[in-house]
């Protein structure tokens, strides 16, 4: 029979609280991925830990409507609402991708009242890319 683990102190007066609700985040990073078919917004702290995210798909948009600027605006507003509730005041913005939701997402971030320290385009660009496969027939 296994040995009983002794209890140290009582848990009656210990305050148990969620880590997510107690963490105050004054400064963060907003990552926007705008593809042709969807827009994903993730809000992270400065170390890169995601604490709020949203996409056009999770906001209820289906099919081709996910790629629209309005869907990107709605997704951005949803992601930022929880960030503002946790005390975010300043943010850096990283925008990636060629989609229609780029400008709409940035507009929604500006409207939210968060001060932007900078906006950076981090779309990956090939510097002449990979070597193409050899021709199949001569």
């Amino acid at each position: 029979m296994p040995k009983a683990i002794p209890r140290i102190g009582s848990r009656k007066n210990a305050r148990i609280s969620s880590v997510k609700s107690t963490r105050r985040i004054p400064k963060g990073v907003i990552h926007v991925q705008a593809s042709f078919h969807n827009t994903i917004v993730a809000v992270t702290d400065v170390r890169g830990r995601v604490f709020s995210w949203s996409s056009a798909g999770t906001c209820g948009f289906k099919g081709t409507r996910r790629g629209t600027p309005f869907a990107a605006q709605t997704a951005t507003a949803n992601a930022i609402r929880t960030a503002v509730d946790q005390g975010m005041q300043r943010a850096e913005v990283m925008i990636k991708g060629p989609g229609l939701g780029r400008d709409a997402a940035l507009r929604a971030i500006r409207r939210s009242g968060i001060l932007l320290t900078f906006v950076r385009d981090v779309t990956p660009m090939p510097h002449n890319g990979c070597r193409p496969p050899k021709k199949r027939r001569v």
Side-chain angles (χ1 to χ4, degrees), residues 95-118:
I95 299 180
K96 182 189 284 187
L100 295 170
R102 292 168 59 100
D103 300 331
L106 190 57
R107 217 173 293 128
I109 294 167
R110 283 254 163 85
R111 206 177 296 130
S112 70
I114 292 177
L115 293 170
L116 301 183
T117 51
F118 65 82

Side-chain angles (χ1 to χ4, degrees), residues 44-116:
T44 68
D45 59 5
V46 183
R47 288 179 59 187
R49 296 176 296 189
V50 176
F51 66 89
S52 171
W53 71 275
S54 182
S55 72
T58 58
C59 291
F61 292 94
K62 293 274 189 279
T64 54
R65 287 199 290 274
R66 283 187 308 183
T68 61
F70 177 69
Q73 180 182 316
T74 310
T76 308
N78 280 6
I80 288 178
R81 196 174 299 122
T82 48
V84 171
D85 291 344
Q86 291 191 14
M88 183 182 275
Q89 293 146 356
R90 288 175 290 131
E92 305 166 356
V93 180
M94 308 285 198
I95 299 180
K96 182 189 284 187
L100 295 170
R102 292 168 59 100
D103 300 331
L106 190 57
R107 217 173 293 128
I109 294 167
R110 283 254 163 85
R111 206 177 296 130
S112 70
I114 292 177
L115 293 170
L116 301 183

